[in-house]
């Protein structure tokens, strides 16, 4: 999957799109001793700068063995790859860990977004996550945005980016709007 994502990004960048791409890393992949070499190899094979690749690691995966996880994340960071902590708020991370992790992005789990309405517990939690992320100079992404009210509220709170069916449905690369498609 990583190789295919890098291949597709190379196509888009050759078409003039200065995009990045995010790839989910499974718990098994994250603990694979070849992860760093696999990432380095995929970037080199497709002649991509490391900063255009964002690896999404779930909070629970990163917390499974904190010392080993930190070592892997630091090696990925030194490689120049960006790290996103996915499903944030669903695991058991400590603030001490969050301050040490070399992440550039926090993704708020859709479980907090699905019932997001002002003056609710979810709103308080989401507001706190956004404030915490901003204080740590992290980009904040909300997953599962499905209503205009959710989008408006998240924007008011300062959420940097949003994902969800309100904004678009998954499509194959060949159907992605705004790119050149082979004839």
């Amino acid at each position: 999957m990583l190789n295919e994502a890098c291949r597709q990004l190379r196509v888009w960048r050759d078409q003039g799109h200065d995009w990045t791409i995010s790839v989910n890393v499974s718990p098994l992949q994250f603990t694979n001793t070849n992860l760093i070499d696999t990432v380095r190899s995929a970037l080199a094979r497709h002649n991509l700068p490391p900063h255009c690749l964002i690896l999404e690691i779930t909070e629970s995966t990163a917390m499974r063995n904190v010392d080993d996880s930190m070592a892997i994340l630091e090696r990925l960071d030194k490689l120049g790859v960006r790290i996103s902590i996915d499903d944030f708020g669903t695991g058991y991370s400590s603030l001490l860990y969050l301050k040490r992790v070399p992440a550039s992005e926090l993704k708020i789990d859709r479980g907090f977004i699905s019932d997001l309405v002002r003056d609710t517990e979810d709103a308080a939690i989401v507001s706190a996550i956004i404030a915490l992320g901003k204080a740590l100079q992290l980009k904040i992404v909300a997953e599962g945005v499905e209503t205009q009210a959710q989008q408006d509220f998240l924007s008011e709170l300062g959420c940097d980016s949003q994902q969800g069916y309100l904004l678009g449905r998954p499509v194959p690369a060949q159907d992605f709007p705004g790119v050149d498609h082979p004839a």
Side-chain angles (χ1 to χ4, degrees):
M1 186 51 98
L2 177 64
N3 187 60
E4 175 57 21
C6 288
R7 184 203 63 76
Q8 183 61 61
L9 184 59
R10 176 77 269 153
V11 169
W12 287 333
R13 289 177 79 88
D14 288 347
Q15 293 175 356
H17 302 286
D18 189 26
W19 293 339
T20 60
I21 197 159
S22 294
V23 177
N24 288 310
V25 177
S26 76
L28 185 60
Q29 291 167 320
F30 186 70
T31 57
N32 185 314
T33 56
N34 296 324
L35 176 65
I36 307 300
D37 290 335
T38 300
V39 170
R40 185 182 293 118
S41 218
L43 290 168
R45 182 178 307 115
H46 300 288
N47 193 28
L48 292 171
H51 72 271
C52 70
L53 177 63
I54 303 169
L55 296 180
E56 296 184 11
I57 291 98
T58 62
E59 178 184 12
S60 57
T61 296
M63 289 302 298
R64 196 161 286 138
N65 182 331
V66 175
D67 291 335
D68 289 347
S69 294
M70 285 300 293
I72 294 166
L73 293 171
E74 286 170 1
R75 288 181 65 200
L76 289 167
D77 184 56
K78 283 181 182 155
L79 184 61
V81 171
R82 296 184 354 212
I83 305 297
S84 177
I85 302 302
D86 197 11
D87 298 340
F88 186 77
T90 62
Y92 300 99
S93 66
S94 73
L95 297 180
L96 179 62
Y97 171 76
L98 184 59
K99 140 181 137 166
R100 289 178 40 215
V101 71
S104 59
E105 177 177 285
L106 281 184
K107 293 185 80 174
I108 302 171
D109 186 73
R110 71 183 63 250
F112 295 111
I113 306 302
S114 61
D115 296 323
L116 185 63
V117 181
R118 294 177 198 278
D119 302 322
T120 63
E121 289 175 349
D122 284 338
I125 291 168
V126 167
S127 178
I129 291 171
I130 291 172
L132 175 63
K134 294 289 184 185
L136 294 173
Q137 300 178 333
L138 299 172
K139 179 181 175 190
I140 308 300
V141 179
E143 298 177 307
V145 178
E146 296 183 1
T147 69
Q148 189 63 50
Q150 291 168 340
Q151 183 182 36
D152 293 345
F153 187 51
L154 289 162
S155 294
E156 286 174 29
L157 291 174
C159 185
D160 298 302
S161 188
Q162 300 169 17
Q163 296 174 243
Y165 288 153
L166 175 69
L167 305 162
R169 302 238 177 215
V171 296
Q174 66 269 15
D175 296 337
F176 198 78
V179 298
D180 299 328
H181 304 292

